[in-house]
Amino acid sequence: SQQGEEDPQALSIQEGENATMNCSYKTSINNLQWYRQNSGRGLVHLILIRSNEREKHSGRLRVTLDTSKKSSSLLITASRAADTASYFCATGPNQAGTALIFGKGTTLSVSS
Amino acid sequence: DTAVSQTPKYLVTQMGNDKSIKCEQNLGHDTMYWYKQDSKKFLKIMFSYNNKELIINETVPNRFSPKSPDKAHLNLHINSLELGDSAVYFCASSQAKGFTGELFFGEGSRLTVL
């Protein structure tokens, strides 16, 4: 069953601008992760934030998590053309015997 | 060395045929997965194995049968292929128990059923 919903579905920006993607989910989670998928490639893990964390940074990435609103955001600062990809949030459930559940993704286009 | 490798990368076949996709990981992980990505990029878990034992089977038709000969390999066999099986199939692995850790994905196998 689908858990995460990303917003917006598509985002077009210029190089140097910041890109913000949002993710909402429905059930309690152990952690929330963000992945990137370049066209025709596999998914690559970007960052994991645990349910007891509120914010995490990794290079130009900043992730926030609000468990009371069941939402997360991914901010990419000073975007580059190479950031053009689809970005997915995935929730790690608290329930044993279940796997990461992915959202539908946000397609980001960064033009130079 | 590729961490998670899948073969073949592309597969074009006729309805009714049987096909297999192979996956191998050299990360030493205990848990492996098959995900299906449809034309709208929606990723859905199909199966998960932990140390050769089936853990997750998500309402996938019986025509799909995973096989894990050892913890480094997870193959997917599909019988009597249907048009709706056309998708990209991703193999993934993770180290963490409880299926909540980071996933390492293969490059995907694009299956086209004609």
Side-chain angles (χ1 to χ4, degrees), chain B residues 31-43:
Chain B
T31 309
M32 296 184 71
Y33 311 80
W34 279 110
Y35 278 85
K36 178 181 179 180
Q37 187 174 46
D38 63 22
S39 57
K40 296 184 179 179
K41 295 189 179 178
F42 177 48
L43 266 164

PDB file of all heavy atoms in Angstrom, chain B residues 31-43:
ATOM      1  N   THR B  31      19.370  -9.059   3.741  1.00  0.00           N
ATOM      2  CA  THR B  31      18.010  -8.860   3.263  1.00  0.00           C
ATOM      3  C   THR B  31      18.003  -8.364   1.822  1.00  0.00           C
ATOM      4  O   THR B  31      18.752  -7.451   1.473  1.00  0.00           O
ATOM      5  CB  THR B  31      17.263  -7.837   4.152  1.00  0.00           C
ATOM      6  OG1 THR B  31      17.400  -8.234   5.519  1.00  0.00           O
ATOM      7  CG2 THR B  31      15.791  -7.790   3.794  1.00  0.00           C
ATOM      8  N   MET B  32      17.173  -8.978   0.999  1.00  0.00           N
ATOM      9  CA  MET B  32      17.043  -8.572  -0.396  1.00  0.00           C
ATOM     10  C   MET B  32      15.575  -8.411  -0.753  1.00  0.00           C
ATOM     11  O   MET B  32      14.695  -9.006  -0.122  1.00  0.00           O
ATOM     12  CB  MET B  32      17.712  -9.601  -1.325  1.00  0.00           C
ATOM     13  CG  MET B  32      19.215  -9.708  -1.112  1.00  0.00           C
ATOM     14  SD  MET B  32      20.034 -10.806  -2.263  1.00  0.00           S
ATOM     15  CE  MET B  32      19.940  -9.858  -3.788  1.00  0.00           C
ATOM     16  N   TYR B  33      15.320  -7.594  -1.772  1.00  0.00           N
ATOM     17  CA  TYR B  33      13.958  -7.217  -2.133  1.00  0.00           C
ATOM     18  C   TYR B  33      13.788  -7.210  -3.653  1.00  0.00           C
ATOM     19  O   TYR B  33      14.742  -7.003  -4.390  1.00  0.00           O
ATOM     20  CB  TYR B  33      13.650  -5.786  -1.661  1.00  0.00           C
ATOM     21  CG  TYR B  33      13.986  -5.467  -0.235  1.00  0.00           C
ATOM     22  CD1 TYR B  33      15.299  -5.174   0.139  1.00  0.00           C
ATOM     23  CD2 TYR B  33      12.995  -5.413   0.743  1.00  0.00           C
ATOM     24  CE1 TYR B  33      15.614  -4.854   1.446  1.00  0.00           C
ATOM     25  CE2 TYR B  33      13.315  -5.084   2.058  1.00  0.00           C
ATOM     26  CZ  TYR B  33      14.621  -4.808   2.395  1.00  0.00           C
ATOM     27  OH  TYR B  33      14.936  -4.492   3.693  1.00  0.00           O
ATOM     28  N   TRP B  34      12.529  -7.375  -4.056  1.00  0.00           N
ATOM     29  CA  TRP B  34      12.123  -7.026  -5.410  1.00  0.00           C
ATOM     30  C   TRP B  34      11.049  -5.944  -5.317  1.00  0.00           C
ATOM     31  O   TRP B  34      10.070  -6.103  -4.585  1.00  0.00           O
ATOM     32  CB  TRP B  34      11.552  -8.231  -6.166  1.00  0.00           C
ATOM     33  CG  TRP B  34      12.597  -9.124  -6.739  1.00  0.00           C
ATOM     34  CD1 TRP B  34      12.932 -10.387  -6.346  1.00  0.00           C
ATOM     35  CD2 TRP B  34      13.471  -8.821  -7.838  1.00  0.00           C
ATOM     36  NE1 TRP B  34      13.950 -10.884  -7.104  1.00  0.00           N
ATOM     37  CE2 TRP B  34      14.307  -9.950  -8.029  1.00  0.00           C
ATOM     38  CE3 TRP B  34      13.638  -7.721  -8.678  1.00  0.00           C
ATOM     39  CZ2 TRP B  34      15.281 -10.001  -9.022  1.00  0.00           C
ATOM     40  CZ3 TRP B  34      14.616  -7.771  -9.654  1.00  0.00           C
ATOM     41  CH2 TRP B  34      15.422  -8.904  -9.829  1.00  0.00           C
ATOM     42  N   TYR B  35      11.270  -4.857  -6.079  1.00  0.00           N
ATOM     43  CA  TYR B  35      10.295  -3.790  -6.212  1.00  0.00           C
ATOM     44  C   TYR B  35       9.901  -3.705  -7.688  1.00  0.00           C
ATOM     45  O   TYR B  35      10.711  -3.946  -8.572  1.00  0.00           O
ATOM     46  CB  TYR B  35      10.878  -2.433  -5.794  1.00  0.00           C
ATOM     47  CG  TYR B  35      10.878  -2.153  -4.311  1.00  0.00           C
ATOM     48  CD1 TYR B  35      11.905  -2.611  -3.497  1.00  0.00           C
ATOM     49  CD2 TYR B  35       9.856  -1.408  -3.729  1.00  0.00           C
ATOM     50  CE1 TYR B  35      11.907  -2.335  -2.127  1.00  0.00           C
ATOM     51  CE2 TYR B  35       9.857  -1.127  -2.369  1.00  0.00           C
ATOM     52  CZ  TYR B  35      10.882  -1.596  -1.577  1.00  0.00           C
ATOM     53  OH  TYR B  35      10.875  -1.314  -0.226  1.00  0.00           O
ATOM     54  N   LYS B  36       8.658  -3.296  -7.922  1.00  0.00           N
ATOM     55  CA  LYS B  36       8.167  -3.076  -9.279  1.00  0.00           C
ATOM     56  C   LYS B  36       7.870  -1.591  -9.442  1.00  0.00           C
ATOM     57  O   LYS B  36       7.183  -0.999  -8.594  1.00  0.00           O
ATOM     58  CB  LYS B  36       6.888  -3.884  -9.528  1.00  0.00           C
ATOM     59  CG  LYS B  36       6.267  -3.676 -10.900  1.00  0.00           C
ATOM     60  CD  LYS B  36       4.982  -4.504 -11.031  1.00  0.00           C
ATOM     61  CE  LYS B  36       4.332  -4.302 -12.385  1.00  0.00           C
ATOM     62  NZ  LYS B  36       3.071  -5.097 -12.529  1.00  0.00           N
ATOM     63  N   GLN B  37       8.404  -0.981 -10.514  1.00  0.00           N
ATOM     64  CA  GLN B  37       8.121   0.431 -10.795  1.00  0.00           C
ATOM     65  C   GLN B  37       7.298   0.524 -12.067  1.00  0.00           C
ATOM     66  O   GLN B  37       7.736   0.090 -13.136  1.00  0.00           O
ATOM     67  CB  GLN B  37       9.413   1.238 -10.934  1.00  0.00           C
ATOM     68  CG  GLN B  37       9.147   2.745 -11.059  1.00  0.00           C
ATOM     69  CD  GLN B  37      10.429   3.563 -11.042  1.00  0.00           C
ATOM     70  OE1 GLN B  37      11.409   3.247 -11.707  1.00  0.00           O
ATOM     71  NE2 GLN B  37      10.431   4.656 -10.263  1.00  0.00           N
ATOM     72  N   ASP B  38       6.104   1.101 -11.962  1.00  0.00           N
ATOM     73  CA  ASP B  38       5.232   1.172 -13.131  1.00  0.00           C
ATOM     74  C   ASP B  38       5.564   2.395 -13.984  1.00  0.00           C
ATOM     75  O   ASP B  38       6.513   3.143 -13.693  1.00  0.00           O
ATOM     76  CB  ASP B  38       3.752   1.152 -12.713  1.00  0.00           C
ATOM     77  CG  ASP B  38       3.363   2.357 -11.882  1.00  0.00           C
ATOM     78  OD1 ASP B  38       4.042   3.402 -11.950  1.00  0.00           O
ATOM     79  OD2 ASP B  38       2.356   2.268 -11.157  1.00  0.00           O
ATOM     80  N   SER B  39       4.761   2.590 -15.019  1.00  0.00           N
ATOM     81  CA  SER B  39       5.043   3.658 -15.989  1.00  0.00           C
ATOM     82  C   SER B  39       4.924   5.048 -15.373  1.00  0.00           C
ATOM     83  O   SER B  39       5.461   6.012 -15.908  1.00  0.00           O
ATOM     84  CB  SER B  39       4.101   3.543 -17.186  1.00  0.00           C
ATOM     85  OG  SER B  39       2.764   3.594 -16.743  1.00  0.00           O
ATOM     86  N   LYS B  40       4.235   5.149 -14.246  1.00  0.00           N
ATOM     87  CA  LYS B  40       4.121   6.441 -13.557  1.00  0.00           C
ATOM     88  C   LYS B  40       5.165   6.586 -12.452  1.00  0.00           C
ATOM     89  O   LYS B  40       5.077   7.467 -11.611  1.00  0.00           O
ATOM     90  CB  LYS B  40       2.711   6.593 -12.966  1.00  0.00           C
ATOM     91  CG  LYS B  40       1.637   6.636 -14.039  1.00  0.00           C
ATOM     92  CD  LYS B  40       0.266   6.877 -13.450  1.00  0.00           C
ATOM     93  CE  LYS B  40      -0.783   6.937 -14.555  1.00  0.00           C
ATOM     94  NZ  LYS B  40      -2.144   7.141 -14.030  1.00  0.00           N
ATOM     95  N   LYS B  41       6.137   5.697 -12.469  1.00  0.00           N
ATOM     96  CA  LYS B  41       7.265   5.707 -11.529  1.00  0.00           C
ATOM     97  C   LYS B  41       6.892   5.285 -10.111  1.00  0.00           C
ATOM     98  O   LYS B  41       7.684   5.471  -9.196  1.00  0.00           O
ATOM     99  CB  LYS B  41       7.955   7.083 -11.480  1.00  0.00           C
ATOM    100  CG  LYS B  41       8.628   7.465 -12.782  1.00  0.00           C
ATOM    101  CD  LYS B  41       9.466   8.712 -12.609  1.00  0.00           C
ATOM    102  CE  LYS B  41      10.161   9.084 -13.891  1.00  0.00           C
ATOM    103  NZ  LYS B  41      10.955  10.321 -13.754  1.00  0.00           N
ATOM    104  N   PHE B  42       5.714   4.737  -9.932  1.00  0.00           N
ATOM    105  CA  PHE B  42       5.317   4.282  -8.615  1.00  0.00           C
ATOM    106  C   PHE B  42       6.031   2.979  -8.282  1.00  0.00           C
ATOM    107  O   PHE B  42       5.947   2.013  -9.034  1.00  0.00           O
ATOM    108  CB  PHE B  42       3.804   4.117  -8.541  1.00  0.00           C
ATOM    109  CG  PHE B  42       3.305   3.586  -7.237  1.00  0.00           C
ATOM    110  CD1 PHE B  42       3.741   4.131  -6.035  1.00  0.00           C
ATOM    111  CD2 PHE B  42       2.409   2.534  -7.185  1.00  0.00           C
ATOM    112  CE1 PHE B  42       3.291   3.652  -4.826  1.00  0.00           C
ATOM    113  CE2 PHE B  42       1.950   2.044  -5.973  1.00  0.00           C
ATOM    114  CZ  PHE B  42       2.395   2.592  -4.797  1.00  0.00           C
ATOM    115  N   LEU B  43       6.719   2.952  -7.153  1.00  0.00           N
ATOM    116  CA  LEU B  43       7.484   1.782  -6.710  1.00  0.00           C
ATOM    117  C   LEU B  43       6.693   0.992  -5.693  1.00  0.00           C
ATOM    118  O   LEU B  43       6.269   1.533  -4.667  1.00  0.00           O
ATOM    119  CB  LEU B  43       8.764   2.251  -6.020  1.00  0.00           C
ATOM    120  CG  LEU B  43      10.018   2.349  -6.860  1.00  0.00           C
ATOM    121  CD1 LEU B  43      11.036   3.179  -6.147  1.00  0.00           C
ATOM    122  CD2 LEU B  43      10.596   0.966  -7.136  1.00  0.00           C
TER     123      LEU B  43
END
